[in-house]
Amino acid sequence: MKIKQLSLILAVGVSTSVLTGCGIYNKYNAEKIDSDLVKEYAEALKQQDDSTAFGNLSWRSVFTDPALVDLIDRALANNKDLRNAKLNVDIAHAQLKGAKLSYLPSLTFAPGVNGAKYGHSDLSWNYQLPLAVNWEIDIFGKILNTKRGAQVAEMQTRYYEQAVRSQIIAGVAQCYYSIAALESQLKLSRETSELWKESVNVMRNLKEAGRLREDAVVQSLAQYYSIEATITDIELSLHEANNTLSLLVNEMPQKWTISPDATLNVPVMKRTAIPMAELAVRPDVRASEMTLASAFYSTASARAAFYPSINITANGGFTDALGSAILNPHGWFLQLAGSLTAPIFARGQNIARLQAAKAQQQQALNNFEYAIMSASADISDAMTVYEKSMQKQQWLTLQVENLTKAVEVTNELLLFDGSTTYLEVLTAQKNLLGAQTAQITTNLAAAQSVINLYQNLGGGR
């Protein structure tokens, strides 16, 4: 007897070891993935989050403009994309609940009544009140891997929701400062248009005084028309930007009142490299990892398909049809059965399914590695644009200061000295307008790079 028990224990131990070695019970672990990049990522996940890191800051501490804060709040409350992302989380949660309940036996109640008449006998009725129970014993991890796959699917939808939230916050901020820049350009162009209109009158007066020819007036007038044409382009862009912001906030198209002087106050950010810990908190990177985890469990499920299914079935209830249909004896009945279903002729399909699952898992790994590298490139680009924009701002400030002086000097020389030609005046004014426009564009690029960097670091909590 002891030898039989020992043999049974040994057989169970060997079987468990074999099944574990096949990987059908293994849990996804990034540290065990055959990729140095993924292992580095897994190590970064163990690090404690730095609450002072730019990407970990609350969006309210990054965007402090009251008007912008109000718009972001409205977008987060009303945006359809974010609502759908939240609904996807609810769907995934319901599917996970269903996967967890798969461990429980199914219970079916199907009462029935039937009547029968034999020869000259009276119509005889009988009934059944059966209760059926079916329970699949998950020895080979089929239900387990389905449940784990549902768990990572739910986590993935949560990361996608965070990614959408971050995208909306960044999108509203980008649009807000784009409108502010367009308002600033429009203001500058209108002021410049008035100055050029005055210049045209000056040119005409100088022509009547015999100091300039007709071509000076014509070229000055042409430049004035060019600026007026540019104003229409800016107004069109401003209209489109306002409509974009309206869609982000999920409201009917309207013109938003945004100050042309709105600026983004940027904290000091200096870094020579991008820590993996910053990449590991990005919601899109985490979502990509969940795709890999889901593929891992799909492969485990494909392996589990090679093993049999074990079901225990029980039927019981009350009936009046235990014996003769005429006597109709009443009584209880109970049936208990067990079944084992093993794949035999489906082996070729199972092999093909496992090979496809392995290939899909490798694809998911490739995509995950690319997601990490792409995130690193995004952060690097945003940081470089910000640094170069700050440098460019300094040079443009000096350029605008000097060109402003140049315009003043050339106008004075044209009016009082006569040693300056009208072409020098036109050139100085055009250069000043170009430098001022470049200054506005560079300020916008700096603000957008900060917003991009915040989003690329997973900000928006």
Side-chain angles (χ1 to χ4, degrees):
M1 186 67 180
K2 291 183 179 180
I3 296 176
K4 289 183 178 180
Q5 291 178 346
L6 183 61
S7 300
L8 180 61
I9 294 173
L10 182 61
V12 172
V14 171
S15 300
T16 303
S17 177
V18 170
L19 293 175
T20 303
C22 291
I24 60 176
Y25 291 123
N26 292 344
K27 196 169 184 179
Y28 167 79
N29 187 347
E31 294 179 352
K32 296 182 180 180
I33 300 296
D34 187 18
S35 168
D36 293 337
L37 185 60
V38 175
K39 289 179 180 178
E40 183 183 354
Y41 165 88
E43 287 296 323
L45 287 177
K46 297 179 181 179
Q47 300 178 19
Q48 187 175 3
D49 289 342
D50 182 5
S51 59
T52 62
F54 187 51
N56 292 334
L57 297 177
S58 166
W59 67 265
R60 294 180 184 274
S61 61
V62 176
F63 307 112
T64 56
D65 188 322
L68 176 56
V69 169
D70 177 65
L71 288 170
I72 293 177
D73 276 330
R74 291 161 73 172
L76 293 177
N78 302 328
N79 189 273
K80 296 292 186 182
D81 292 334
L82 186 56
R83 286 184 180 179
N84 287 336
K86 291 179 179 178
L87 290 174
N88 285 335
V89 174
D90 295 338
I91 292 171
H93 182 71
Q95 292 172 341
L96 173 59
K97 185 183 295 184
K100 288 180 178 179
L101 293 176
S102 297
Y103 283 102
L104 301 178
S106 62
L107 186 65
T108 305
F109 179 60
V113 178
N114 62 76
K117 178 179 174 61
Y118 299 94
H120 298 287
S121 64
D122 295 333
L123 181 64
S124 174
W125 295 91
N126 59 70
Y127 62 88
Q128 286 186 340
L129 300 174
L131 193 65
V133 180
N134 183 58
W135 183 26
E136 181 178 356
I137 303 176
D138 191 37
I139 295 179
F140 303 104
K142 296 179 180 179
I143 300 177
L144 174 66
N145 286 304
T146 300
K147 185 200 73 171
R148 287 175 174 175
Q151 285 176 331
V152 298
E154 185 194 27
M155 292 174 64
Q156 186 178 45
T157 57
R158 293 187 184 278
Y159 289 132
Y160 276 133
E161 180 191 2
Q162 175 58 34
V164 172
R165 177 183 172 88
S166 179
Q167 185 178 17
I168 290 172
I169 292 172
V172 172
Q174 294 272 17
C175 202
Y176 181 86
Y177 288 108
S178 293
I179 292 175
L182 288 170
E183 291 283 7
S184 183
Q185 286 186 0
L186 185 61
K187 179 181 177 183
L188 173 64
S189 296
R190 285 172 174 169
E191 291 174 351
T192 304
S193 175
E194 291 298 321
L195 292 175
W196 274 98
K197 192 174 183 180
E198 295 177 4
S199 297
V200 171
N201 293 330
V202 171
M203 295 292 182
R204 284 173 175 164
N205 293 333
L206 291 175
K207 173 185 172 292
E208 291 177 359
R211 295 181 54 185
L212 293 177
R213 300 190 303 270
E214 179 66 23
D215 58 341
V217 178
V218 173
Q219 290 197 34
S220 180
L221 191 58
Q223 187 62 32
Y224 167 74
Y225 293 149
S226 175
I227 295 173
E228 286 292 328
T230 302
I231 290 176
T232 61
D233 292 335
I234 297 173
E235 289 173 338
L236 176 60
S237 298
L238 191 57
H239 174 79
E240 293 173 347
N242 275 287
N243 283 347
T244 301
L245 183 56
S246 299
L247 291 175
L248 285 171
V249 181
N250 197 39
E251 295 187 11
M252 291 297 291
Q254 58 186 283
K255 186 182 186 319
W256 300 92
T257 303
I258 298 176
S259 172
D261 300 322
T263 55
L264 177 59
N265 297 320
V266 184
V268 177
M269 295 177 293
K270 294 182 180 179
R271 54 162 57 89
T272 56
I274 302 169
M276 179 62 75
E278 291 184 333
L279 304 177
V281 298
R282 275 183 51 148
D284 58 333
V285 173
R286 298 301 298 273
S288 181
E289 184 195 9
M290 292 303 101
T291 301
L292 174 59
S294 178
F296 176 87
Y297 290 125
S298 294
T299 303
S301 295
R303 288 193 177 99
F306 286 87
Y307 298 95
S309 299
I310 300 176
N311 288 273
I312 296 177
T313 304
N315 292 285
F318 188 80
T319 181
D320 64 349
L322 290 177
S324 169
I326 298 176
L327 296 178
N328 291 333
H330 299 72
W332 295 89
F333 70 92
L334 177 65
Q335 296 175 338
L336 185 64
S339 65
L340 184 147
T341 306
I344 298 177
F345 297 107
R347 180 171 174 80
Q349 294 179 351
N350 289 339
I351 292 175
R353 190 179 298 113
L354 178 59
Q355 291 175 342
K358 287 181 177 179
Q360 290 171 347
Q361 183 177 344
Q362 184 59 47
Q363 285 181 332
L365 174 58
N366 295 339
N367 292 337
F368 180 41
E369 290 177 329
Y370 182 80
I372 295 174
M373 293 184 289
S374 178
S376 178
D378 291 341
I379 295 174
S380 177
D381 288 344
M383 194 65 206
T384 301
V385 171
Y386 170 68
E387 291 173 349
K388 298 304 178 183
S389 297
M390 296 300 291
Q391 295 175 8
K392 188 175 181 180
Q393 279 180 328
Q394 297 175 356
W395 295 114
L396 286 174
T397 299
L398 296 174
Q399 184 186 21
V400 169
E401 290 176 357
N402 284 275
L403 286 175
T404 301
K405 294 178 182 178
V407 169
E408 294 173 354
V409 171
T410 52
N411 280 326
E412 290 178 359
L413 291 175
L414 179 65
L415 293 174
F416 305 110
D417 191 295
S419 60
T420 299
T421 65
Y422 71 93
L423 289 176
E424 291 175 306
V425 174
L426 292 177
T427 301
Q429 291 176 332
K430 288 171 61 177
N431 290 340
L432 176 59
L433 178 60
Q436 289 172 326
T437 303
Q439 193 175 35
I440 295 172
T441 303
T442 303
N443 292 341
L444 175 61
Q448 289 178 333
S449 64
V450 172
I451 297 169
N452 287 335
L453 180 62
Y454 182 65
Q455 180 184 0
N456 290 329
L457 290 173
R461 297 171 181 80

